Amino acid sequence: MTDALGWRRKFGVIAPSTNTIVEPDFYSMTVPGVTAHFSRIHIRNQDLSDDANFEHLLVQIRDEIGAACERVLTCEPDYMVMGMSAETFWGGVEGNREFVRQIKAITGLEVATGAEACERALKLYGARRIGVVTPYQPVGDQNVVKFFSEIGFEVTAIEGLKCPTAVAIAHVTEDELRAAIRKVDGPDVDAIVQCGTNLSVVRLADEAERWLSKPVIAINAATWWMALRDNGIADKVHGAGSLLRDH
């Protein structure tokens, strides 16, 4: 028997307890027969005011992620989706691979990560030189640049917004995000990538592609796209950028 609502696929999603954007974003991009079921990583200290505190957030994630995966497995999902991004970039390519191996070992399921989703999207678009926007402190940006450099992309500019807390990431305004996107753009930039699943960029990215005439990859849209396409679901989603609409 199949699930009454998730009759095509049920996705188990892992997100930090502080994240208020990724869940409504994923719900807004869902398609018939696909459901997303969230499990939260308990973030006890959400201070991100400097590099040391930013790294401590990742320590908390690593301590809690196994239990979060085990909880969501009780709804018997078909596939795992990471509703967080910093950890998927950490340590570059090998760090991402180790993270994926960890999730697969815990769940026995395939998994979509923001880092791999962005890699697939950039290769699909044939991009080589990219501008990047993040909510991170410098140590987070360094790991993002490391990942993209190791897979063959040149980060021409990166704008880290240095959000002071995990919840504050969701408070960044559209005007601030629009300015950040423009700051990392240029005639030599093939595509813009936005990291940080608690930044609200999906709808703005769809708009920005029209006034920049180039791909603008919002990480929540890219991760959801990867999850759908990995599961053979080719439905088009409008209003979330060209990736889900055209590919």
Side-chain angles (χ1 to χ4, degrees), residues 136-154:
Y136 305 150
Q137 293 289 341
V139 67
D141 291 346
Q142 290 162 16
N143 278 273
V144 169
V145 172
K146 176 180 173 66
F147 175 83
F148 282 123
S149 298
E150 288 179 353
I151 59 175
F153 298 99
E154 180 183 352

Side-chain angles (χ1 to χ4, degrees), residues 134-225:
T134 84
Y136 305 150
Q137 293 289 341
V139 67
D141 291 346
Q142 290 162 16
N143 278 273
V144 169
V145 172
K146 176 180 173 66
F147 175 83
F148 282 123
S149 298
E150 288 179 353
I151 59 175
F153 298 99
E154 180 183 352
V155 179
T156 62
I158 186 165
E159 177 71 358
L161 300 174
K162 302 180 181 66
C163 295
T165 70
V167 168
I169 296 171
H171 300 169
V172 178
T173 68
E174 189 171 279
D175 284 346
E176 291 171 309
L177 290 166
R178 188 181 295 108
I181 289 170
R182 289 195 180 280
K183 188 171 182 179
V184 300
D185 186 34
D188 59 340
V189 172
D190 301 318
I192 307 293
V193 176
Q194 169 262 319
C195 304
T197 62
N198 206 25
L199 280 179
S200 182
V201 181
V202 169
R203 286 170 297 188
L204 178 61
D206 183 61
E207 171 196 322
E209 288 187 325
R210 290 189 283 275
W211 36 265
L212 294 180
S213 298
K214 66 184 64 175
V216 180
I217 300 167
I219 200 160
N220 288 348
T223 306
W224 192 251
W225 167 79

Side-chain angles (χ1 to χ4, degrees), residues 55-114:
E55 292 195 78
H56 181 60
L57 178 75
L58 297 182
V59 171
Q60 295 178 78
I61 288 173
R62 292 163 191 159
D63 287 345
E64 295 277 346
I65 195 167
C69 287
E70 289 169 2
R71 280 191 293 273
V72 82
L73 284 176
T74 62
C75 78
E76 300 180 359
D78 304 295
Y79 184 89
M80 295 297 294
V81 183
M82 291 300 106
M84 56 186 184
S85 63
E87 180 72 346
T88 74
F89 289 101
W90 216 261
V93 171
E94 185 51 41
N96 175 265
R97 288 174 179 164
E98 178 55 36
F99 178 79
V100 170
R101 283 194 290 267
Q102 176 193 4
I103 302 303
K104 287 182 177 180
I106 295 169
T107 66
L109 300 173
E110 296 298 313
V111 56
T113 71

Side-chain angles (χ1 to χ4, degrees), residues 125-141:
Y125 285 121
R128 284 293 174 265
R129 296 165 61 84
I130 62 175
V132 180
V133 175
T134 84
Y136 305 150
Q137 293 289 341
V139 67
D141 291 346

